[in-house]
């Protein structure tokens, strides 16, 4: 039998706060490992010691939306250099809980930062690195807000209002529409078992 070289995949998981991505990430990891892949599971903002320190500031410190954008990309630069690229280079799959689509959804869609400024930073920081597949957990805003209300102490983003969340959802759906080959939309408003099954079907194609 000839060994088949499988190009490692960079997978990202996105969605509004409360869409349920954290529930499904452990299953995605197990499913990929079950297919024989080494998986590096990471998150943004964060993923490196410096990135995690920036995360603390980003999630709790009020700041200008452009400062927030710049810090997201500063953390991302570190994350790409120290975690994502080395992992892909040694053949591991990378699963990141959020990546640049979140900056388009939150800082651009919800907070009004110019998309052209984000694109500039994206080109600078990522060059030609893009996720291979992005799972977007999509739920109506009321559902995500209800889930958040029953969850732990909210961070800065989770304290925002319905209008803010509506803009995030729209921006994510627009990103998906503009990048149909990369995005897989998961209807996360369905019963948990159904969502798990949909996620498994997507992973089985990778
Ligand atoms: P989140 O991923 O929801 O983590 P947890 O499940 O622990 O709450 O939290 C990260 C927050 O950061 C989320 O509200 C979205 C925000 N964020 C941005 O605003 N821009 C970005 O570029 C990224 C990566 C995250």
């Amino acid at each position: 039998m000839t060994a088949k070289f499988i190009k490692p995949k960079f997978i990202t998981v996105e969605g509004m706060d409360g869409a349920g991505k954290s529930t499904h990430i452990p299953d995605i990891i197990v499913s990929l490992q079950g297919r024989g892949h080494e998986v590096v599971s990471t998150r943004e903002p964060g993923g490196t010691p410096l990135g995690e320190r920036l995360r603390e500031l980003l999630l709790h410190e009020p700041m200008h939306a452009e400062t927030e954008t710049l810090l997201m990309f500063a953390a991302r630069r570190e994350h790409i250099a120290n975690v994502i690229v080395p992992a892909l280079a040694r053949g591991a799959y990378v699963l990141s809980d959020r990546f640049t689509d979140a900056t388009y959804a939150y800082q651009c869609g919800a907070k009004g930062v110019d998309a052209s400024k984000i694109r500039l930073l994206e080109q600078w920081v990522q060059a030609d690195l893009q996720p291979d597949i992005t799972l977007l957990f999509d739920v109506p805003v009321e559902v995500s807000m209800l889930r958040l209300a029953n969850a732990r102490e909210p961070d800065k983003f989770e304290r925002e209002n319905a209008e803010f969340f509506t803009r995030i959802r729209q921006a994510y759906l627009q990103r998906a529409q503009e990048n149909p080959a990369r995005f897989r939309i998961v209807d996360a408003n369905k019963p948990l078992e159904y969502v798990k099954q949909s996620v498994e079907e997507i992973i089985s194609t990778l």
Side-chain angles (χ1 to χ4, degrees), residues 54-153:
L54 291 171
R55 180 186 176 94
E56 273 309 300
L57 291 171
L58 281 160
L59 265 53
H60 302 291
E61 203 68 44
M63 61 183 81
H64 191 284
E66 289 190 350
T67 310
E68 205 167 84
T69 306
L70 290 163
L71 287 181
M72 289 290 177
F73 273 100
R76 188 162 295 140
R77 184 70 194 95
E78 202 67 11
H79 193 205
I80 291 169
N82 294 334
V83 177
I84 300 174
V85 166
L88 292 170
R90 67 163 194 273
Y93 273 44
V94 175
L95 179 72
S96 186
D97 181 348
R98 300 194 188 279
F99 194 62
T100 303
D101 293 307
T103 316
Y104 281 103
Y106 285 76
Q107 280 66 48
C108 174
K111 297 194 174 186
V113 173
D114 267 8
S116 60
K117 290 181 177 166
I118 296 177
R119 262 196 298 278
L120 206 66
L121 291 168
E122 181 182 20
Q123 278 155 12
W124 178 19
V125 165
Q126 290 170 229
D128 55 4
L129 178 76
Q130 287 293 339
D132 296 292
I133 292 287
T134 299
L135 277 76
L136 173 60
F137 286 86
D138 182 54
V139 283
V141 171
E142 317 80 74
V143 174
S144 88
M145 292 197 79
L146 201 66
R147 287 181 186 169
L148 285 177
N150 295 322
R152 53 181 173 24
E153 184 63 22

